[in-house]
């Protein structure tokens, strides 16, 4: 079964932050206070009781923690170069530190259950699951498991069904990254990625891809069984890289609640109309376009076609993305932040406890000194009321902050 971090000792996750602008469901507040008790938000604006730990927010900003539904940058901590592999505990600990330093308080480890040997094989998935379940109680960021299942990986189907039934997986996406052999552009793009991940002689690659083509029909039948199991066991279900309206129709029939990276305006709009939350990558927005020729996220947001942003392969971009949306004039920052907090929480079935600053919600919070979009302005990250990242030792009772923060910007 999945294991998640538990609250710390009594008092460690109970405090009051004072003199801070709070991003609430109604927008930015005037400087006020937020009370946290036993890892949850207790009240906004209430006077603290005598003896409570108090933190001077110094006129800064308090935002809900970032929820990342799709991120695989941890793979580069494990395998920074093709043919190399580092111990999982070392790699995952470094990844966990990167997450909270970029404001990510809930992270779905997007593990590829692929058809390749090596870092994206079922054997690797087994090892990662075991390592994550062993290390989760020690992580700073709340960790969840997102299995990116490749449809043509038809081996050990019952094992994956068992993981869904036992609660080891919280998000399942159904992927098809096997390129059709008659599409030279897709084949070349796939091979470029394969060479970064796996050492395979060139003479073996074509035969490897040809053999996999025969698994497509069985893979589709198994995908329908996996989708039914996900619904039965309360696991969020996503489609991936939908290229055509037929793809969207099949995803709708499977009951997906999230459409990851639809490839064009038409599939994004059709996915929303079918009731799925459209997820796109923050790096696409921050870089100014897709690296695989898909729809640009800026244009998609302008057309109202994006519900959720994710880190995809670069954690800092997710923190930066909401500010980029506001700077481009696409949405006010208060609305843009929902793309990285409230909306992903709702899409993953966590909307009743995460993604907002409101009484009863988990105290997953970010304290920013300025609203300039720089990760250097992130002063403290709290997860469940526990300070898991602090730039200047600021997660301390009032009166103990030795160095003043930079002058704060006004809310956008």
């Amino acid at each position: 079964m999945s294991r998640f971090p538990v609250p710390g000792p009594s008092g460690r996750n109970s405090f009051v932050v004072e003199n801070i602008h709070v991003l609430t469901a109604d927008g930015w507040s005037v400087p006020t206070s937020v009370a946290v008790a036993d890892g949850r938000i207790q009240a906004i604006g209430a006077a603290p009781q005598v003896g409570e730990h108090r933190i001077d927010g110094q006129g800064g900003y308090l935002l809900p923690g970032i929820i990342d539904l799709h991120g695989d940058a941890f793979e580069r901590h494990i395998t920074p170069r093709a043919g190399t592999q580092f111990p999982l505990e070392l790699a995952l600990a470094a990844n966990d530190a990167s997450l909270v330093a970029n404001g990510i308080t809930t992270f779905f480890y997007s593990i590829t259950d692929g058809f390749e040997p090596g870092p994206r094989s079922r054997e690797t998935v087994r090892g990662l699951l075991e390592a994550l379940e062993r290390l989760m109680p020690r992580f700073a960021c709340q960790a969840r498991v997102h299995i990116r299942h490749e449809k043509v990986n038809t081996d050990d189907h019952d094992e994956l069904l068992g993981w869904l039934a036992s609660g080891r997986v919280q998000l399942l996406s159904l992927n098809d990254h096997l390129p059709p052999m008659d599409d030279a552009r897709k084949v070349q793009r796939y091979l470029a990625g394969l060479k970064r991940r796996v050492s395979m002689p060139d003479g073996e690659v074509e035969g490897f891809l040809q053999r996999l083509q025969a698994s497509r029909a069985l893979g589709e039948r198994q995908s329908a069984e996996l989708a039914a199991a996900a619904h039965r066991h309360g696991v969020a279900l996503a489609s991936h890289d939908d290229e055509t309206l037929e793809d969207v129709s099949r995803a709708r029939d499977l009951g997906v609640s999230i459409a990851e990276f639809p490839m064009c305006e038409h599939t994004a709009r059709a996915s929303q109309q079918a009731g799925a939350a459209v997820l796109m990558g923050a790096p696409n927005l921050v870089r100014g376009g897709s690296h695989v020729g898909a729809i640009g996220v800026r244009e998609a947001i302008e057309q109202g076609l994006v519900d959720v942003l994710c880190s995809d392969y670069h954690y800092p971009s997710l923190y930066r993305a909401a500010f980029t949306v506001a700077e481009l004039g696409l949405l006010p920052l208060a609305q843009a932040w929902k793309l990285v907090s409230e909306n992903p929480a709702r899409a993953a079935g966590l909307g009743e406890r995460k993604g907002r600053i409101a009484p009863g919600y988990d105290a997953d919070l970010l304290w920013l000194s300025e609203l300039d979009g720089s990760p250097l302005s992130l002063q403290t990250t709290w997860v469940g009321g526990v300070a898991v990242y602090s730039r200047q030792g600021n997660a301390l009772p009032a009166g103990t902050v030795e160095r003043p923060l930079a002058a704060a910007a006004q809310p956008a």
Side-chain angles (χ1 to χ4, degrees), residues 342-362:
E342 183 174 344
N343 291 1
R346 291 181 182 278
L350 302 173
E352 293 185 357
R353 53 179 293 206
K354 292 185 179 295
R356 296 174 59 189
I357 300 180
Y361 277 68
D362 291 351

Side-chain angles (χ1 to χ4, degrees), residues 108-128:
F108 285 71
Y109 280 80
S110 298
I111 304 171
T112 299
D113 180 38
F115 50 79
E116 299 172 359
R120 293 188 167 185
S121 66
R122 177 62 65 85
E123 180 182 4
T124 297
V125 177
R126 293 186 190 107
L128 270 170

